[in-house]
Amino acid sequence: MTQKYLWSAHEIASITGGTASGAWSASGVSINTRTLEVGDLFIAIKGPKLNGHQFVSEALKKGASGLIIDTIPTNLPEQAPIVLVSDTLDALHALGKASRKRSEALIIAVTGSVGKTSTKNALYHALSAQSQTTCSQASHNNLWGVPLSLSQMAPEDQFGIFEIGMSHPGEISPLSKMVSPHITIITNVEPAHTENFDSLESVAEAKAEIFDGLEKNGIAILNSDNKFFSILRARSKSLGIENLLTFGSTNDADTRLISLSSDCQGSCVEASIQGKRICYRVSLPGKHEVMNSLATLTAIHAAGADISAATSALGQLSPLPGRGKSYQLEYLGGSIHLIDESYNANPTSMRAALDNLGNTKVSPPGRRIAVLGDMRELGRDSEKYHLNIAQTIFKNQVEKIFTVGDQMERLFHSLPSEMQCFCSIDAKGITREILKVLRPNDILLVKGSNAVGMASIVSEVRAELGPCGKSLPGAADNAV
């Protein structure tokens, strides 16, 4: 297969103000040698923990077509294909801006406390089936991730979908201006990454920064069910944004949820888009994924793309590792159903994961077991948010609890003794305790903030038990 063309050495030097060595071109852009592919341009970013200049030799060995560096490493081959710049992060930003400037694609930017990655992925899945589309990989939504994602957009792309995140006020505005979207989506405003904010109202104001880069006559899409809707709508009006679309269950929502029927594998949805009724299935579990699908379809309708093809695509989505992916694992002649929600956590996503656990049918002698890790960056109300999770645990008939982290330890000791299995400050060694408790047909949920190390628990459990020969309901193999 012919690789796509993105950048020549001459173009990169002209855009970044650097000096090129040799004539070469790149088919991709990378700042991480672990994910670098043959033909990629490697940009040696100086991060808070690692300096990319340490990895230029590895990048070349893995097939990088060229390097952007601001310092000549001692081990750099004499004829290495480079562009020497004054600052590699500035160069990355310049490349991202140049990519956006040359593109004629319709650009959609997504932010929100919860659901931005799922919505971005759903948009990509739906639109890439119709036209050539680029989107942010993984959760590349920050100072490095946004320009990196933009720089990977091909000139011939018809759609570009970019996720924008934040942990401080003022972070979204410059990224939105860099992306210059035609359509913006704010999925919701909830308690997440709140430690650097005085209130949830200030979080809403920060999310509204995504409007700052909206193209003239662009479209803003908001969740009419969210309690901060009025703040976001007022902010959009103050900026002169005339095209506002809404999604939700309110009667006046432009894309309105009429009904849904859910199971552990997804939901059947009836909705109205601008007065036209549609029925479709979302193959990701939870009402939150239904709301994400409403945001997705609102944007697709606004973009003039095919709604019928989009709803078909929503029925073919698969959960990602760390974001709801399930595994059927062998255990004592039976099986264990493992739900991997290890990527991240906040109060809203924690409740959604536990609701999904509660909606998953248990066959005797199985039980619902949750391994819950700290929800990070919640600020002064962190203890309250952690303790309040108990209500959702009871509602969903979870029988056994393991916890990781000092905040979840408080929750652990607030629960009835018969539910308490084991609490630990970190993830090390907890897998051994989990394996002591498991029995056939158990459903095991692992959920927590990425920094707590919950993904290691998933990996260790999978390594100890191994895949089961039979599939989960509705699955083609042992990984859904």
Side-chain angles (χ1 to χ4, degrees):
M1 185 175 69
T2 303
Q3 288 185 316
K4 66 179 180 181
Y5 168 85
L6 282 184
W7 303 105
S8 70
H10 173 75
E11 287 171 324
I12 295 167
S14 176
I15 289 164
T16 62
T19 303
S21 171
W24 45 270
S25 63
S27 56
V29 183
S30 174
I31 61 173
N32 188 338
T33 54
R34 291 175 295 182
T35 55
L36 184 144
E37 297 182 359
V38 174
D40 280 355
L41 164 69
F42 177 70
I43 305 179
I45 298 294
K46 295 175 180 176
K49 296 181 180 179
L50 296 173
N51 184 339
H53 291 78
Q54 298 172 265
F55 303 98
V56 294
S57 294
E58 183 180 350
L60 291 172
K61 288 178 182 177
K62 292 191 71 174
S65 59
L67 311 169
I68 293 181
I69 56 177
D70 58 31
T71 305
I72 304 291
T74 56
N75 60 346
L76 186 71
E78 187 175 342
Q79 301 300 318
I82 68 169
V83 173
L84 183 64
V85 299
S86 58
D87 184 276
T88 52
L89 181 58
D90 289 344
L92 174 60
H93 279 233
L95 205 61
K97 291 174 182 177
S99 180
R100 176 63 185 94
K101 187 175 181 179
R102 76 179 179 183
S103 175
E104 296 182 2
L106 187 144
I107 307 296
I108 303 173
V110 185
T111 194
S113 301
V114 185
K116 54 185 176 289
T117 301
S118 295
T119 302
K120 178 257 305 182
N121 289 342
L123 281 164
Y124 176 75
H125 195 69
L127 290 173
S128 62
Q130 303 182 38
S131 300
Q132 185 165 314
T133 304
T134 286
C135 78
S136 306
Q137 298 300 304
S139 292
H140 292 167
N141 60 25
N142 61 8
L143 181 69
W144 298 278
V146 171
L148 175 63
S149 298
L150 281 170
S151 70
Q152 295 168 323
M153 185 164 53
E156 59 270 24
D157 283 334
Q158 298 299 302
F159 295 101
I161 305 147
F162 300 98
E163 178 180 338
I164 301 180
M166 66 166 201
S167 56
H168 294 83
E171 287 185 328
I172 287 180
S173 182
L175 298 177
S176 176
K177 291 173 182 176
M178 187 185 297
V179 172
S180 297
H182 301 98
I183 299 173
T184 60
I185 300 172
I186 302 179
T187 57
N188 50 43
V189 177
E190 301 289 351
H193 306 294
T194 57
E195 67 179 356
N196 298 309
F197 295 88
D198 296 331
S199 64
L200 283 177
E201 286 79 7
S202 62
V203 174
E205 292 286 356
K207 293 295 182 187
E209 292 175 20
I210 198 169
F211 300 142
D212 294 350
L214 187 63
E215 289 277 276
K216 185 178 180 181
N217 298 320
I219 299 170
I221 297 175
L222 299 177
N223 183 344
S224 61
D225 289 354
N226 192 259
K227 63 181 179 180
F228 298 101
F229 170 70
S230 60
I231 291 177
L232 300 174
R233 178 176 57 184
R235 177 63 174 157
S236 69
K237 288 185 176 180
S238 72
L239 293 172
I241 296 172
E242 296 180 359
N243 301 316
L244 176 67
L245 296 175
T246 59
F247 67 94
S249 55
T250 58
N251 289 332
D252 58 350
D254 295 296
T255 299
R256 180 171 62 89
L257 176 64
I258 298 172
S259 66
L260 68 92
S261 174
S262 297
D263 54 49
C264 67
Q265 298 293 311
S267 301
C268 292
V269 184
E270 182 181 9
S272 169
I273 302 180
Q274 302 280 344
K276 181 180 179 180
R277 290 201 173 203
I278 59 170
C279 294
Y280 62 97
R281 180 165 176 84
V282 180
S283 60
L284 299 175
K287 185 177 179 181
H288 61 296
E289 296 293 1
V290 172
M291 302 310 291
N292 293 338
S293 77
L294 297 180
T296 298
L297 293 175
T298 306
I300 287 173
H301 185 271
D306 189 331
I307 287 291
S308 177
T311 54
S312 176
L314 291 175
Q316 300 168 21
L317 289 169
S318 297
L320 299 173
R323 298 180 184 274
K325 189 166 185 175
S326 293
Y327 304 90
Q328 198 84 342
L329 306 173
E330 276 192 13
Y331 191 69
L332 298 179
S335 64
I336 301 294
H337 179 169
L338 171 63
I339 304 173
D340 176 13
E341 286 275 5
S342 61
Y343 179 76
N344 222 331
N346 55 59
T348 303
S349 66
M350 183 68 75
R351 287 193 297 270
L354 287 165
D355 285 345
N356 181 38
L357 178 61
N359 286 331
T360 304
K361 185 179 179 181
V362 184
S363 299
R367 303 151 299 173
R368 295 183 179 92
I369 302 174
V371 185
L372 307 179
D374 278 358
M375 301 178 288
R376 295 289 179 87
E377 300 181 27
L378 293 178
R380 61 176 179 263
D381 291 326
S382 181
E383 182 175 350
K384 178 189 73 174
Y385 287 129
H386 282 81
L387 290 174
N388 285 348
I389 294 299
Q391 301 168 23
T392 311
I393 290 172
F394 296 138
K395 182 186 77 171
N396 288 292
Q397 299 179 315
V398 181
E399 294 184 54
K400 298 294 180 182
I401 297 289
F402 294 82
T403 64
V404 179
D406 56 355
Q407 293 294 309
M408 276 297 177
E409 184 177 4
R410 294 182 175 88
L411 169 68
F412 181 87
H413 291 299
S414 75
L415 297 172
S417 59
E418 61 269 21
M419 297 178 68
Q420 300 173 358
C421 287
F422 190 81
C423 69
S424 175
I425 294 300
D426 56 45
K428 295 177 182 177
I430 198 168
T431 301
R432 180 175 60 253
E433 302 301 325
I434 294 169
L435 295 174
K436 292 177 183 178
V437 172
L438 288 179
R439 65 191 188 199
N441 295 338
D442 280 344
I443 304 173
L444 179 67
L445 167 70
V446 179
K447 176 73 174 175
S449 286
N450 193 35
V452 185
M454 304 302 285
S456 65
I457 299 173
V458 173
S459 298
E460 290 166 5
V461 170
R462 290 183 64 199
E464 287 288 339
L465 302 187
C468 182
K470 64 181 181 179
S471 297
L472 290 167
D477 53 28
N478 63 2
V480 179

